Amino acid sequence: QHLLKRDYGIDGKLKELVSERDQNFLVGSPAGKFVLKIANAVEDEGFLALQNAAMKHVAQADPSLGLQRVVATSSGADITAWEHGGSRHAVRLLTYLPGDLYSAAASSPALLESLGSFMGRLSHALRGFGHPAAFRPGFLWNLDETMAVKPWLDDVVPARRDLVASIFARYEARVLPHLHMLRGAVLHQDANDNNIVVDKASATVTGLIDLGDMTHGRQINELAVTLAYALLDVEDVYKSATPLIAAYARQFPLEPGEAAILFDLVAARLAMSVCISSHRAKDFPDNDYLLVSQAPAFRLLERLDRTNPD
């Protein structure tokens, strides 16, 4: 609170928020609500600068799109630093996006359409945006690097290993030969149900948070990742995918080559996810969540494996 007031001139109450690798707080103050983000000491400040630059770009390209905004320090800096225990932590303050998480909302055609429209607007707004930190060699969650996690196939439970192997084979045959011909862009690449903000009353997506998986990759990956999460445990894959894809394409038209491999990429994202979580489970055997959370992904993979990708 003292450092917040010193560097930002904001006197507010702090409530800790859940975070994977940073320390985040919700700030309540007379000036409004904000999110205070204290980065892990090993975080690359260049990558934080990428996130800030992306938010600023979108704010200009589509001012009404629900992405957080960067709040500068009293001296005008987008990133400041706080020292603790001999470590230096990069610090940022962002605006707060009100609403509920997508995970707390009931899935419906209207909500799926709204999600597709929001992500299409985001892809449209990020056209022309570039930043050197967006090129992240070795970043495992980049769909362009799907084959990098194939060696972890042996870590998947034996009963599901053949299913996941078939998805990698499908990626090698149908996607890999065409990657070099597809559009590239800087992507958010993590529109999961706990990063999407909604207005439940109107079944509308109002915002998107957490730019921690931003990377440069094939443009179509953005839609594929969105679908991979949105289609988990839906009653009808095609019925749910249709309004989302259609709404996305109205905002940001697909190219034929992208459309041809879209569902292959959805399956590949899920295959990557179960391989990565299975590999991590070996290092953290007491973390049951790493394997329990795979169940919806396996269910969707089974359904996608039975569909005709064309």
Side-chain angles (χ1 to χ4, degrees):
Q1 287 177 311
H2 165 71
L3 294 171
L4 179 68
K5 187 172 183 179
R6 183 195 72 184
D7 290 350
Y8 290 93
I10 293 174
D11 191 4
K13 295 182 179 180
L14 304 183
K15 177 184 177 183
E16 192 159 10
L17 301 172
V18 176
S19 178
E20 182 183 357
R21 61 180 185 265
D22 300 333
Q23 191 172 26
N24 296 335
F25 294 92
L26 175 62
V27 180
S29 76
K33 290 184 177 180
F34 305 91
V35 176
L36 175 66
K37 299 181 71 68
I38 304 171
N40 193 297
V42 299
E43 188 70 77
D44 179 6
E45 282 196 34
F47 182 62
L48 300 181
L50 158 67
Q51 296 178 44
N52 286 354
M55 286 185 278
K56 289 186 170 185
H57 180 91
V58 171
Q60 286 190 315
D62 190 343
S64 65
L65 191 63
L67 247 59
Q68 291 171 286
R69 304 289 187 253
V70 182
V71 179
T73 65
S74 301
S75 62
D78 290 339
I79 302 176
T80 188
W82 293 348
E83 303 284 340
H84 178 72
S87 296
R88 182 180 186 275
H89 298 266
V91 174
R92 295 179 296 155
L93 190 67
L94 306 179
T95 55
Y96 170 76
L97 297 179
D100 297 297
L101 293 179
Y102 191 98
S103 56
S107 182
S108 68
L111 187 60
L112 290 163
E113 181 178 355
S114 179
L115 175 58
S117 181
F118 185 99
M119 296 307 297
R121 286 175 62 188
L122 178 63
S123 292
H124 189 272
L126 283 171
R127 287 185 313 166
F129 173 73
H131 195 282
F135 296 90
R136 305 172 66 182
F139 179 52
L140 289 177
W141 287 106
N142 188 342
L143 255 176
D144 289 0
E145 306 296 334
T146 294
M147 300 311 294
V149 303
K150 187 181 178 183
W152 294 347
L153 186 59
D154 289 342
D155 298 326
V156 176
V157 291
R160 305 287 190 160
R161 202 171 293 156
D162 286 347
L163 169 64
V164 180
S166 71
I167 301 300
F168 281 110
R170 178 168 155 179
Y171 181 92
E172 284 187 86
R174 290 179 50 85
V175 177
L176 210 52
H178 307 291
L179 278 184
H180 66 288
M181 297 291 290
L182 302 180
R183 292 181 292 181
V186 178
L187 314 170
H188 177 279
Q189 222 204 205
D190 195 19
N192 70 62
D193 56 0
N194 286 316
N195 284 341
I196 301 164
V197 181
V198 304
D199 177 3
K200 289 199 292 187
S202 62
T204 302
V205 172
T206 58
L208 183 66
I209 61 174
D210 191 354
L211 277 62
D213 278 358
M214 285 202 90
T215 188
H216 184 275
R218 297 311 96 195
Q219 177 71 69
I220 191 61
N221 293 353
E222 191 79 278
L223 179 56
V225 172
T226 303
L227 283 166
Y229 290 111
L231 297 180
L232 291 173
D233 285 335
V234 298
E235 185 177 343
D236 185 317
V237 169
Y238 293 131
K239 190 174 181 180
S240 296
T242 298
L244 197 160
I245 296 171
Y248 180 94
R250 282 195 293 270
Q251 300 291 339
F252 191 79
L254 304 182
E255 294 185 349
E258 295 170 334
I261 61 169
L262 175 57
F263 276 84
D264 301 300
L265 290 170
V266 173
R269 170 70 179 210
L270 295 166
M272 290 176 69
S273 178
V274 296
C275 281
I276 292 170
S277 59
S278 297
H279 185 72
R280 287 177 175 170
K282 292 175 61 180
D283 297 325
F284 304 97
D286 296 329
N287 189 343
D288 294 334
Y289 177 76
L290 287 172
L291 295 180
V292 171
S293 62
Q294 293 181 352
F298 280 129
R299 287 193 291 268
L300 181 54
L301 274 175
E302 286 177 341
R303 298 170 77 180
L304 292 174
D305 194 46
R306 293 195 301 266
T307 62
N308 181 344
D310 289 326

